[in-house]
Amino acid sequence: MPNAKVLSEKQAIVAELTEKIKGAASGVLVDYKGITVAEDTALRAELRKNDVDYAVVKNTLLRFAANNCGMEALDETLNGTTSLAVSAGDPIAPMRVVNNFAKKFNGAKFTIKAGFMDGKVLSLEEISALAELPSKEALLGQVLGTMLAPITSLAIVLKAICEKQGGGLEEAVAAEAPAAE
């Protein structure tokens, strides 16, 4: 039986993990057995750059935290070496970075165990599919580009009309204004 001090420390860790999981947009559990210190350092740097929190966790403590969040389905994956990557901002970031890193090793030393998003446990296929999506910023850029395309086309057409009539934009607008009344 652990003493009261150790028990309270473990309860504090479980509470912290529970809050981290509840506040996360998504997370990924990884088996990191076999990677070198240099590889781990590179992974942590890439995760930090993408605002992803990454830590090695004890399976038992993570099991309690996951159960507190209603994700009992993670229990079966909590064995061996386990690390947790979570992001409160971009839900795709932990999956994308971890998946890219796992591809480097072809599943030999670094494998994805499980993942979750918005309180739902994801299959490995869902994690892989989500990891292939572009970043949030890239998606926003694509949407903005799609929205600006018609406006850009209109500007090009108006410019061509103005050049065809031999005047500037102001003259073309002035010439059209009386006809519109």
Side-chain angles (χ1 to χ4, degrees):
M1 186 81 185
N3 66 27
K5 181 181 177 189
V6 172
L7 188 59
S8 68
E9 288 173 357
K10 288 183 179 183
Q11 287 172 340
I13 293 170
V14 169
E16 182 182 333
L17 281 171
T18 301
E19 288 305 311
K20 189 181 288 190
I21 291 170
K22 282 182 181 177
S26 70
V28 181
L29 299 175
V30 179
D31 183 355
Y32 61 90
K33 183 174 37 181
I35 64 171
T36 65
V37 172
E39 293 163 343
D40 185 56
T41 303
L43 170 66
R44 288 174 186 268
E46 185 67 25
L47 288 166
R48 260 191 307 277
K49 193 166 41 172
N50 287 282
D51 293 325
V52 177
D53 187 28
Y54 178 78
V56 173
V57 292
K58 289 190 175 275
N59 291 321
T60 307
L61 301 178
L62 184 57
R63 183 175 290 113
F64 283 122
N67 290 341
N68 289 344
C69 296
M71 291 190 270
E72 290 83 10
L74 292 175
D75 287 357
E76 61 193 41
T77 62
L78 294 174
N79 51 37
T81 55
T82 304
S83 60
L84 174 66
V86 294
S87 174
D90 184 2
I92 305 301
M95 296 174 202
R96 185 179 57 249
V97 173
V98 169
N99 190 51
N100 288 342
F101 201 79
K103 282 181 182 178
K104 292 179 184 177
F105 299 111
N106 297 324
K109 301 195 273 187
F110 188 84
T111 57
I112 297 173
K113 290 180 166 186
F116 60 90
M117 180 182 278
D118 296 327
K120 177 185 174 270
V121 177
L122 303 174
S123 68
L124 294 178
E125 293 79 24
E126 290 172 317
I127 294 169
S128 295
L130 289 169
E132 298 302 322
L133 290 174
S135 69
K136 183 179 178 180
E137 291 78 19
L139 288 173
L140 288 173
Q142 290 174 358
V143 168
L144 185 61
T146 303
M147 291 170 56
L148 290 176
I151 297 168
T152 305
S153 298
L154 177 64
I156 292 170
V157 169
L158 289 175
K159 182 179 179 202
I161 291 171
C162 289
E163 289 174 354
K164 182 179 177 186
Q165 292 179 354
L169 182 61
E170 292 80 19
E171 293 89 16
V173 171
E176 293 293 323
E181 296 174 5

